[in-house]
Every structure is written in structure tokens, then in C-alpha cells.
Amino acid sequence: MSFASGSSAAATAAAARAAAIAQAIKASGALISVNPDDFLYILSKNDHPLVITATGGVFKPNYQYLTSYKSFIFYTKSTAPLPLPGNTELISAQKIWLPG
């Protein structure tokens, strides 16, 4: 295989990956990353927030959270579990995957 065909294959793979990420973003809508305090503030603005949770991390665990508010999806990650309001409906996911 020549260098040109190898770089062409790499460029094609990169373009395919970029297209897949763009499609995932279109499917999920606007995804906004916020710090944990802002995430809790957003939850306080909703009477019965729905939160999707997952844990991740390889060397140190992290706690991941998603919620929607006014057609936006908010995401945060924390090194410790967040003190969610008592009126929160929780859905536990095996993994939260973010495009990009």
C-alpha cells in the first residue's frame, strides 16, 4: 500500500467519523455541558425533574447526569454523587455517551 492510499483511507475514515458525530448531535438536539452547581440549579427550576444517571471512570469513578429543560439537554459530571432533590425521577443507565 502506498502512502497516498493510506492517507486517503485515513481521510475517508475521519470523514465518516465526523458524519457519524454530526448525525448523533442532530438526533440528540442541543447538548450543553454545565458544572454540577449549575446542573442542580436547573433541576430546582423543574417541579418533577427527570435525570438520567451513570457512573464512569477508569482510575477514579465519576458520576454523570443528564436532564432536559426548555428543549435543551444538560449534562454534568462530578467526582462525588450529587444531592438531587427528593422529587427527582431517576433513570439509571449503564453508560452515557456524548458525541464528539
Side-chain angles (χ1 to χ4, degrees):
M1 172 165 42
S2 72
F3 177 74
S5 65
S7 63
S8 176
T12 301
R17 184 173 187 274
I21 290 170
Q23 187 61 34
I25 291 170
K26 286 180 192 175
S28 66
L31 187 65
I32 302 162
S33 180
V34 295
N35 68 49
D37 289 334
D38 289 339
F39 188 85
L40 292 172
Y41 176 74
I42 291 164
L43 292 183
S44 74
K45 302 192 64 70
N46 194 336
D47 290 336
H48 299 287
L50 173 66
V51 175
I52 300 166
T53 65
T55 56
V58 176
F59 299 109
K60 290 175 30 176
N62 62 61
Y63 302 87
Q64 304 163 9
Y65 302 89
L66 284 172
T67 195
S68 66
Y69 181 71
K70 293 193 176 187
S71 301
F72 293 99
I73 300 169
F74 293 90
Y75 167 80
T76 197
K77 185 177 359 178
S78 176
T79 57
L82 295 181
L84 301 175
N87 60 343
T88 302
E89 182 178 350
L90 292 175
I91 296 177
S92 181
Q94 289 183 342
K95 182 177 182 179
I96 293 176
W97 177 84
L98 301 176

